[in-house]
Amino acid sequence: MSSIILQNIDKAYGKNAPVIENLNLEIKDKSFTVLLGPSGCGKSTILRMIAGLEAQTSGTILFDDEDMTNVPPENRDIAFVFQNYALYPTMTVRGNIEFGLKNRKIPKAEIAARVEEVCSLLDISEYLNRKPQNLSGGQRQRVALARAMVKKPDIFLMDEPLSNLDAKLRNQIRTDLIALHKRLNTTFVYVTHDQVEAMSMATDIVLLNKGKVMQMSSPAEMYKQPRNVFSAKFIGTPAMNVISSGKSNISVPQGCAYVGFRPENVMLEKKNNDDFCISCDVASTEMLGAETVIKALSGDEIIFMRAFTSACRPEGRQNFYVERANLCYFNEQEERIYE
Amino acid sequence: MSTKDLTAVRRGVGIRPKTSARSAINITKKVVTGFLYAIGIIFLLLVFLVPVYWMVLTAVESANQVVQNPPLFWVSAPQWDNFVKAFESIDFWHYTKNSLIVTFSVMILQFITVIPAAYAFARYRFKGKKILFSITLLTMMLPAQLTFLPVYLMFARLKLINNIMTLILPFGASGFGIFMLRQSFMQIPEEILEAARLDKASEFTIIRRIMLPMALPTIAMLALFTFITTWNDYYWPLVMTTTDEVQTLPVGITGLQNIEVGITQHYVMAGNILMILPVVIVFLIAQKQIIKAFTYTGEK
């Protein structure tokens, strides 16, 4: 039971310019919060500060109401899953999982019971006596998770734990993690640069760029209501089309500099009279099975369209239409403005 | 491989004659480079093995054969008695005991000093770290012949000359050991130590359960190096000791020169073989670990 509150956090390495400036963030109790952003945006640094592996330059970190600033990482009641797993190579799987409990002087019988419980949950009981180097990537990942879970922490911190796995395994463990979060009913904080991971697992997404929170909301809201051009362009495959509003055939709100719309909202036929319309040249068509992605050029701007049929094969010059309700408007500062 | 694949391979073989001219050139190329490699390796082997062979040969020759000109390259009737004579003419057990005491004391002392020093250099930030580490490296560059005089004078003042301590204390720390182990400690990923810290492991537990086991190949290699250099060291014991009582095997063996009037080289060589035998045995035992120490970085 822990919410995490970051207040006015600054972080700078040495005398360099700060990587994080005046960050305020509240991570809700029992949420699956994903810190999402491009590499170098400070998301890992934030996670490491929550863990206490790195000290903030200034500001306060609270777990519930308790100030954690001077609490060393081992006393914070957290578990950390590292990107490269960081398993102890000279110990067996059992040794790895037990290590934290032994250091906490937990009675032997309880250690055995807890190890058995997590191992059967994660399906790694048969590898208990193997060394990490004799395990596959997915198995190592599970051992790393087991080592974290066995401590029964209030907060799970995970730093890109799936990035070393192949695509198929990543999908599988993603599903497992969602189930695990439901089962354990604790706070998960998860760092990734992969928006698909964020969208699929999170209850809350914190989108970061250059050490600043760009948007914090549920995945659905993040997708439907981007608060700025950065959010709009970071989420979605392909991302939201954002084009300069000068090309618009319709009236836009005052101060609007950019118009955005999702590729799946693009239509080839006009539906209403006040539909947004842009004419462009089709550059390529990718048939992906259930959907078709069409790439088109309008001047020097690239526009994507997603059609959920394989029959859609436009060619040459085309008019793309978007319903007004599906448009987002952004001002010169790339912030969202509403009609 | 399925039958289909096999047929394909067979067909491939059938096609090959078309490119036979090229493959003939390739084969000649391979033969020539292989031949050059072999010559190089044989030359290196000769450089290293001839002195050893010469030692073994001399050790089983008779006095006349030793001085024969031109020298012999093969002995048909080896004089195994030379070993018995060498072993019995000096107090072999006594010198061996001294050598063992000195060698193992040096090894233990080095572990006590080298491990914490290497850990500190690898993992802590402190003032003067760079300078201290440079000084540590500098000690590797100084030959014993340069330092023996001041050390001798110091020990003389402490009345420690001709004491077994003079053979142990100066080698109780090793710049080379600190350097090697530091490198090995630094290769251990930071995340593993952070994970251990989050697992509530104390500094001591981290060293004992994680750092040392991971650096084991390097430690084995260091132990072997120390063993060989200390066991074989001739110069330092010769300078620092004056009586049989504290002398080690290499110095003791020189005594074989004087067991008879005239030619004694064959006895000395027999004694040398007896002396290096333990080193060879230790090397054979630790071989795997040593090779691992040099290739450890490749393992993940």
Side-chain angles (χ1 to χ4, degrees):
Chain A
M1 198 198 53
S2 265
S3 61
I4 305 164
I5 299 156
L6 286 82
Q7 289 174 338
N8 313 321
I9 297 288
D10 288 332
K11 175 70 188 175
Y13 290 99
K15 281 171 186 154
N16 297 330
V19 275
I20 290 161
E21 240 179 318
N22 196 25
L23 177 86
N24 286 288
L25 193 62
E26 185 180 345
I27 294 168
K28 280 180 246 143
D29 181 30
K30 298 190 172 82
S31 69
F32 194 137
T33 300
V34 174
L35 305 180
L36 177 68
S39 58
C41 72
K43 54 193 191 298
S44 284
T45 310
I46 294 172
L47 195 73
R48 291 172 60 81
M49 286 193 294
I50 295 173
L53 292 172
E54 238 155 88
Q56 63 269 31
T57 311
S58 66
T60 331
I61 295 175
L62 304 168
F63 287 3
D64 288 330
D65 299 325
E66 206 182 330
D67 186 354
M68 285 288 143
T69 310
N70 296 317
V71 180
E74 63 268 27
N75 294 337
R76 288 194 183 191
D77 203 10
I78 51 141
F80 202 102
V81 180
F82 293 87
Q83 182 174 3
N84 53 12
Y85 319 136
L87 298 176
Y88 313 123
T90 54
M91 297 184 203
T92 60
V93 168
R94 181 188 290 278
N96 266 282
I97 299 172
E98 283 179 347
F99 191 61
L101 302 183
K102 278 191 174 164
N103 290 329
R104 285 183 168 78
K105 306 250 170 359
I106 288 169
K108 265 189 185 164
E110 198 191 331
I111 292 180
R114 278 210 215 172
V115 170
E116 192 167 324
E117 189 193 338
V118 292
C119 288
S120 65
L121 188 68
L122 290 169
D123 207 12
I124 50 172
S125 303
E126 43 188 310
Y127 318 123
L128 275 177
N129 295 318
R130 285 204 212 161
K131 291 269 174 72
Q133 65 256 40
N134 300 325
L135 299 176
S136 70
Q139 290 163 346
R140 285 182 207 186
Q141 179 57 59
R142 281 163 193 280
V143 175
L145 275 175
R147 184 174 69 180
M149 276 170 59
V150 84
K151 286 187 258 183
K152 298 194 172 163
D154 270 352
I155 299 166
F156 278 85
L157 305 173
M158 301 183 207
D159 191 1
E160 308 212 21
L162 305 187
S163 59
N164 291 346
L165 302 176
D166 61 62
K168 203 176 160 194
L169 207 55
R170 214 180 299 163
N171 284 345
Q172 189 197 328
I173 296 191
R174 220 158 62 193
T175 328
D176 292 352
L177 279 176
I178 298 169
L180 205 63
H181 175 248
K182 277 221 178 88
R183 197 192 146 104
L184 297 175
N185 203 20
T186 52
T187 313
F188 277 39
V189 186
Y190 186 106
V191 161
T192 184
H193 61 264
D194 182 351
Q195 49 108 1
V196 179
E197 265 176 40
M199 293 295 284
S200 59
M201 293 192 291
T203 59
D204 298 87
I205 296 179
V206 180
L207 184 64
L208 294 150
N209 187 33
K210 293 177 184 155
K212 289 201 170 67
V213 177
M214 301 310 285
Q215 182 166 354
M216 181 173 177
S217 58
S218 70
E221 199 195 329
M222 183 81 70
Y223 192 79
K224 285 182 193 142
Q225 302 296 344
R227 249 177 247 152
N228 43 54
V229 172
F230 183 83
S231 298
K233 286 194 155 179
F234 201 86
I235 308 281
T237 333
M240 184 180 264
N241 298 303
V242 178
I243 58 175
S244 118
S245 64
K247 294 188 171 176
S248 171
N249 62 321
I250 52 162
S251 67
V252 293
Q254 208 179 6
C256 170
Y258 304 98
V259 178
F261 47 90
R262 292 278 171 203
E264 60 269 30
N265 293 330
V266 175
M267 308 175 293
L268 293 172
E269 313 266 319
K270 201 177 206 176
K271 208 171 179 185
N272 313 304
N273 270 333
D274 62 347
D275 278 353
F276 173 80
C277 171
I278 185 163
S279 104
C280 34
D281 296 300
V282 174
S284 69
T285 309
E286 290 172 34
M287 220 289 288
L288 301 174
E291 63 179 59
T292 308
V293 174
I294 295 126
K295 183 181 169 186
L297 298 168
S298 168
D300 50 1
E301 292 189 277
I302 300 167
I303 295 164
F304 285 98
M305 171 187 171
R306 263 168 102 190
F308 295 93
T309 156
S310 53
C312 180
R313 294 198 160 268
E315 269 173 39
R317 198 148 185 89
Q318 282 283 347
N319 275 339
F320 282 5
Y321 299 94
V322 186
E323 283 186 88
R324 278 197 83 117
N326 291 327
L327 292 177
C328 298
Y329 308 106
F330 303 97
N331 66 15
E332 199 64 53
Q333 287 74 45
E334 306 198 340
E335 294 291 330
R336 178 85 180 265
I337 44 176
Y338 297 89
E339 264 184 294
Chain B
M1 210 186 265
S2 71
T3 12
K4 215 176 172 186
D5 292 340
L6 279 175
T7 341
V9 170
R10 273 189 215 118
R11 271 192 209 130
V13 173
I15 295 163
R16 199 165 282 170
K18 275 184 190 170
T19 53
S20 63
R22 182 177 277 180
S23 62
I25 293 170
N26 275 342
I27 289 170
T28 342
K29 231 183 187 175
K30 263 188 191 165
V31 170
V32 171
T33 40
F35 186 68
L36 289 176
Y37 267 125
I39 289 182
I41 290 168
I42 290 169
F43 177 74
L44 274 178
L45 272 178
L46 285 177
V47 168
F48 286 107
L49 288 184
V50 164
V52 178
Y53 178 68
W54 205 250
M55 174 174 75
V56 177
L57 190 74
T58 312
V60 293
E61 282 176 346
S62 65
N64 286 336
Q65 286 168 326
V66 170
V67 288
Q68 196 171 320
N69 204 1
L72 287 174
F73 288 95
W74 181 251
V75 192
S76 48
Q79 304 269 314
W80 300 114
D81 285 355
N82 292 351
F83 288 97
V84 180
K85 175 103 177 179
F87 190 78
E88 283 172 351
S89 304
I90 55 171
D91 193 349
F92 221 92
W93 284 127
H94 172 72
Y95 291 125
T96 307
K97 194 189 79 194
N98 282 349
S99 271
L100 282 174
I101 292 173
V102 170
T103 305
F104 282 100
S105 306
V106 168
M107 279 167 77
I108 291 166
L109 258 184
Q110 282 197 3
F111 282 136
I112 294 172
T113 56
V114 164
I115 291 169
Y119 185 76
F121 278 131
R123 291 289 162 190
Y124 287 123
R125 290 165 128 206
F126 53 89
K127 253 191 185 169
K129 177 173 159 177
K130 271 191 181 166
I131 292 171
L132 283 174
F133 191 64
S134 309
I135 293 172
T136 311
L137 289 185
L138 216 63
T139 60
M140 284 163 61
M141 328 270 168
L142 298 177
Q145 286 79 351
L146 250 173
T147 50
F148 89 95
L149 202 57
V151 175
Y152 187 90
L153 292 174
M154 197 169 77
F155 279 132
R157 240 177 251 170
L158 290 168
K159 302 222 169 10
L160 278 176
I161 296 299
N162 204 31
N163 183 320
I164 210 153
M165 283 317 230
T166 45
L167 305 184
I168 297 168
L169 287 179
F171 304 100
S174 154
F176 175 70
I178 292 172
F179 173 69
M180 288 298 287
L181 200 56
R182 168 183 171 267
Q183 297 306 104
S184 176
F185 281 161
M186 276 168 60
Q187 274 176 14
I188 297 173
E190 191 64 41
E191 286 90 356
I192 290 188
L193 304 179
E194 285 175 348
R197 217 158 288 148
L198 288 171
D199 268 343
K200 229 176 176 163
S202 65
E203 200 84 7
F204 182 68
T205 312
I206 290 176
I207 296 183
R208 194 173 57 88
R209 293 291 314 276
I210 291 160
M211 304 281 268
L212 287 184
M214 284 183 80
L216 197 62
T218 308
I219 290 169
M221 184 206 69
L222 285 178
L224 190 80
F225 270 38
T226 305
F227 182 88
I228 292 176
T229 45
T230 318
W231 184 266
N232 288 347
D233 190 21
Y234 173 68
Y235 179 77
W236 198 267
L238 181 74
V239 173
M240 295 294 169
T241 59
T242 47
T243 61
D244 290 353
E245 215 178 305
V246 291
Q247 274 168 351
T248 53
L249 209 43
V251 181
I253 279 168
T254 52
L256 289 171
Q257 289 174 44
N258 311 319
I259 55 170
E260 267 174 23
V261 181
I263 298 144
T264 50
Q265 280 99 313
H266 48 312
Y267 299 131
V268 176
M269 288 305 154
N272 276 339
I273 289 174
L274 290 175
M275 182 185 81
I276 64 164
L277 221 51
V279 177
V280 174
I281 291 169
V282 169
F283 177 78
L284 288 178
I285 294 169
Q287 201 179 14
K288 241 186 181 173
Q289 292 285 343
I290 300 163
I291 292 166
K292 217 176 163 189
F294 288 109
T295 55
Y296 194 65
T297 41
E299 225 174 293
K300 268 199 173 174

